[in-house]
C-alpha cells in the first residue's frame, strides 16, 4: 500500500520534513481555510501543492484530499442545492486539473469524529483519544438538555452520567465541550452548548431516510463529474458509528455502505475503509467488510480501538485493539494484487496511520488531537512490518 500522512497545512505544528522522517511520501491534505460551499480554485490548490512539493529532496506529493466538505444544507436537503452541487463539481474539476484524483469526504450531520476525552492516560505516560458513553450522555441529557436523550441510553449509563454531572464543575463542562468539538479542523463552525442546541433544531423532524435520500441526491449530482474527470470519491464511515444528539448517521455498517455504493454505481463512488470508525461498533467485522467492498476501497485509515461493554471505546495501539489488523491488511494487499493483475495503473491503495497516542516528545506540543508525530509514526512502523511480512509470505504486489 502507498504510505501517506495526514497534514493540516501551514498551520500544522508538524513540519513537512518531519513527515519525510516517518518514511511516508504521500501527503493527505485539504484547504481547511476555505469554508463550506466555496470553490477550491486552481490557484489555491496549486499553491498548496507547490508548498508540499517545494523541497524536492523530501520527495513528498499531495496524493489524497481529506476532506472536500459537504455543505450542511446538502445533508439537510435545504432549498435550491444546485449552486452548492456546482461548487462541489467545480472543485472536483479543479483538483483533477491539478493531478489530485482521490477525495475523501463524509456525510456526518453537523459534527465530524467525536470523542469525550482528548488526553486519556495510557500506561507509561502519554495519552489517547477516548469516547466515554456516560460522559456523552451527561452532555446530551444534562448539559444540552435534548428532549428524549435519556431514552437513548441504558439506565446504568444514565446513572453514571448523572453521577458524573453532579460531581463536575464548569471546567469539566468546558473540557467536555472542547473534546466534542475537536474533530472539526479548519474553517468549520464550532458551537457552545446554546449554539449547538439551536443548530440541532434544523434537524427536527429529519429522519434517517431523509438523510439517505439527500445523500443519494448529492451522489447523483457529483459522481458523474468525478467519473468524467477520472476521480475517486471515497466516503468515510461515521465516527463513532452511531447516531449522536439525535442526528441520523447513515454510514455505520456494511448495510449502510452497500446502500451508498449501490445508490449510484460507478468506479468513482467508493469507500474510505476506516478500521477505527467501523471497529467501534461491536457488530462490525472489519476484515469481512473490507473483503466485501474491496474493489470499491480507494483509501484506507488504519487504526484500532478497544471497546468496553457499555459502548465506550479508546484508541488502542495499531496492532493491539479489537480489530485483527493483520487480517485486514491481508485483505487490502490481496485487492492490490488483483488490481495489478488487471493492469491497472492505480492499483495501489493509499493508506495512512490514523489517530495515534501522544507519546514522548509530542506530549504538550499542541498537535491536532489524535494527530501527533510519534504515535502515528509508531503505528506506521508497525503496519509497515505487517505489510512486509505479508509480502514475504504471500508474494509482492509490486
Amino acid at each position: 500500500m502507498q504510505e501517506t500522512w495526514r497534514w493540516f497545512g501551514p498551520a500544522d505544528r508538524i513540519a513537512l520534513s518531519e513527515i519525510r522522517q516517518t518514511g511516508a511520501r504521500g501527503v493527505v491534505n485539504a484547504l481547511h481555510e476555505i469554508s463550506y460551499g466555496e470553490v477550491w480554485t486552481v490557484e489555491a490548490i496549486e499553491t498548496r501543492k507547490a508548498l508540499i512539493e517545494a523541497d524536492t529532496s523530501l520527495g513528498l506529493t499531495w496524493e489524497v484530499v481529506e476532506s472536500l466538505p459537504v455543505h450542511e444544507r446538502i445533508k439537510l436537503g435545504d432549498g435550491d442545492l444546485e449552486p452548492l452541487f456546482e461548487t462541489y463539481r467545480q472543485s472536483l474539476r479543479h483538483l483533477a486539473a491539478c493531478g489530485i484524483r482521490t477525495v475523501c469526504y463524509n456525510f456526518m450531520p453537523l459534527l465530524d469524529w467525536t470523542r469525550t476525552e482528548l488526553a486519556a492516560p495510557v500506561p507509561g505516560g502519554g495519552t489517547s483519544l477516548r469516547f466515554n458513553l456516560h460522559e456523552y450522555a451527561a452532555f446530551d441529557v444534562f448539559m444540552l438538555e435534548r428532549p428524549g436523550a435519556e431514552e437513548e441510553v441504558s439506565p446504568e449509563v444514565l446513572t453514571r452520567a448523572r453521577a458524573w454531572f453532579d460531581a463536575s464543575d464548569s471546567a469539566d463542562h468546558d473540557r467536555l465541550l472542547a473534546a466534542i468539538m475537536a474533530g472539526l479542523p479548519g474553517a468549520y463552525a464550532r458551537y457552545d452548548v446554546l449554539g449547538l442546541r439551536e443548530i440541532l433544531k434544523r434537524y427536527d423532524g429529519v429522519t434517517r431516510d431523509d438523510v439517505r435520500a439527500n445523500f443519494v441526491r448529492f451522489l447523483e449530482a457529483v459522481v458523474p463529474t468525478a467519473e468524467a474527470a477520472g476521480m475517486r470519491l471515497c466516503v468515510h464511515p461515521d465516527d463513532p458509528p452511531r447516531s449522536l444528539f439525535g442526528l441520523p448517521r447513515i454510514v455505520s455498517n456494511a448495510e449502510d455502505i452497500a446502500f451508498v455504493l449501490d445508490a449510484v454505481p460507478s468506479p468513482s463512488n467508493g469507500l474510505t475503509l476506516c478500521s477505527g470508525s467501523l471497529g467501534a461498533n461491536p457488530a462490525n467485522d472489519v476484515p469481512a467488510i473490507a473483503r466485501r467492498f474491496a474493489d470499491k476501497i480507494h483509501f484506507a485509515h488504519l487504526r484500532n480501538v478497544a471497546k468496553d461493554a457499555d459502548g465506550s471505546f479508546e484508541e488502542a495501539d495499531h496492532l493491539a485493539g479489537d480489530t485483527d489488523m493483520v487480517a485486514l491488511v491481508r485483505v487490502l494487499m490481496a485487492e492490490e494484487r488483483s488490481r495489478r493483475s488487471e493492469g491497472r495503473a492505480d492499483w495501489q491503495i493509499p493508506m495512512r496511520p490514523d489517530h495515534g497516542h501522544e507519546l514522548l516528545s509530542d506530549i504538550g506540543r499542541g498537535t491536532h488531537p489524535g494527530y501527533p508525530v510519534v504515535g502515528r509514526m509508531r503505528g506506521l512502523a508497525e503496519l509497515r512490518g505487517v505489510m512486509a511480512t505479508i509480502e514475504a509470505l504471500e508474494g509482492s504486489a509490486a
Side-chain angles (χ1 to χ4, degrees):
M1 285 182 282
Q2 182 185 25
E3 296 179 9
T4 66
W5 187 272
R6 189 173 189 183
W7 185 59
F8 290 95
D12 199 323
R13 292 180 182 269
I14 296 171
L16 291 167
S17 58
E18 292 177 284
I19 296 176
R20 178 62 181 87
Q21 290 175 50
T22 71
R25 300 294 184 90
V27 174
V28 177
N29 190 235
L31 303 182
H32 293 301
E33 67 276 13
I34 298 179
S35 298
Y36 283 31
E38 294 185 13
V39 171
W40 288 19
T41 65
V42 169
E43 179 183 13
I45 296 165
E46 289 287 11
T47 297
R48 181 60 54 82
K49 185 177 180 183
L51 176 63
I52 292 169
E53 301 177 4
D55 187 343
T56 57
S57 70
L58 300 180
L60 300 178
T61 55
W62 186 0
E63 293 294 336
V64 178
V65 168
E66 185 181 345
S67 293
L68 181 59
V70 178
H71 197 281
E72 206 64 35
R73 283 181 48 215
I74 293 175
K75 299 172 190 177
L76 280 163
D78 178 22
D80 179 10
L81 298 179
E82 181 54 31
L84 289 174
F85 291 149
E86 179 55 27
T87 293
Y88 206 95
R89 290 191 291 256
Q90 193 62 26
S91 295
L92 291 176
R93 296 184 192 105
H94 290 168
L95 286 163
C98 297
I100 304 167
R101 300 182 183 276
T102 302
V103 175
C104 172
Y105 71 100
N106 73 71
F107 214 79
M108 290 182 266
L110 285 184
L111 301 173
D112 204 290
W113 61 263
T114 303
R115 301 292 185 271
T116 63
E117 270 191 275
L118 302 181
V122 298
T127 64
S128 70
L129 302 178
R130 182 171 174 82
F131 181 87
N132 289 312
L133 187 60
H134 72 281
E135 288 185 328
Y136 160 75
F139 183 91
D140 198 17
V141 176
F142 303 117
M143 292 174 58
L144 193 60
E145 298 177 331
R146 182 174 63 86
E150 67 279 359
E151 300 171 8
E152 298 177 6
V153 294
S154 69
E156 293 79 12
V157 169
L158 189 60
T159 297
R160 292 175 62 206
R162 175 86 254 184
W164 181 92
F165 183 75
D166 288 345
S168 65
D169 58 21
S170 60
D172 295 319
H173 299 171
D174 290 344
R175 174 195 58 79
L176 181 55
L177 175 65
I180 288 169
M181 291 293 142
L184 298 171
Y188 295 74
R190 290 167 173 80
Y191 310 101
D192 58 15
V193 171
L194 292 177
L196 182 57
R197 188 182 295 156
E198 189 64 28
I199 199 71
L200 283 171
K201 292 178 182 178
R202 297 182 65 189
Y203 277 88
D204 284 350
V206 176
T207 67
R208 173 182 170 84
D209 286 343
D210 291 334
V211 179
R212 272 190 161 191
N214 296 338
F215 196 176
V216 173
R217 184 179 174 189
F218 166 74
L219 291 172
E220 290 173 341
V222 304
V223 167
T225 296
E227 186 170 341
M231 300 195 73
R232 299 175 293 188
L233 298 177
C234 35
V235 64
H236 188 288
D238 304 324
D239 184 11
R242 53 170 296 150
S243 293
L244 294 179
F245 309 121
L247 299 169
R249 289 192 163 193
I250 59 168
V251 192
S252 293
N253 54 39
E255 177 191 355
D256 291 344
I257 294 168
F259 174 85
V260 171
L261 300 182
D262 292 344
V264 181
S266 167
S268 295
N269 181 20
L271 174 67
T272 296
L273 192 285
C274 181
S275 57
S277 297
L278 292 168
N281 183 342
N284 285 339
D285 181 333
V286 181
I289 290 173
R291 193 174 301 111
R292 177 175 174 181
F293 301 108
D295 64 330
K296 301 305 292 289
I297 295 172
H298 299 326
F299 185 31
H301 292 176
L302 298 184
R303 61 181 173 89
N304 225 323
V305 297
K307 298 183 288 292
D308 298 340
D310 70 350
S312 303
F313 61 89
E314 184 166 329
E315 306 282 357
D317 292 339
H318 283 70
L319 302 185
D322 295 335
T323 294
D324 185 339
M325 192 63 69
V326 175
L328 176 58
V329 172
R330 182 176 283 120
V331 170
L332 296 175
M333 293 183 70
E335 173 61 20
E336 286 188 322
R337 287 194 293 273
S338 175
R339 295 178 187 186
R340 192 157 191 249
S341 70
E342 296 170 0
R344 288 177 51 176
D346 63 346
W347 60 270
Q348 276 193 308
I349 298 172
M351 169 277 291
R352 68 171 179 83
D354 208 356
H355 302 170
H357 292 173
E358 190 173 83
L359 305 170
L360 302 172
S361 60
D362 279 322
I363 298 173
R365 185 176 177 182
T367 53
H368 194 83
Y371 292 92
V373 175
V374 177
R376 284 190 290 165
M377 183 169 66
R378 173 182 172 178
L380 179 58
E382 292 173 345
L383 294 166
R384 188 181 292 135
V386 170
M387 291 186 288
T389 301
I390 292 172
E391 266 192 11
L393 294 176
E394 300 183 8
S396 173

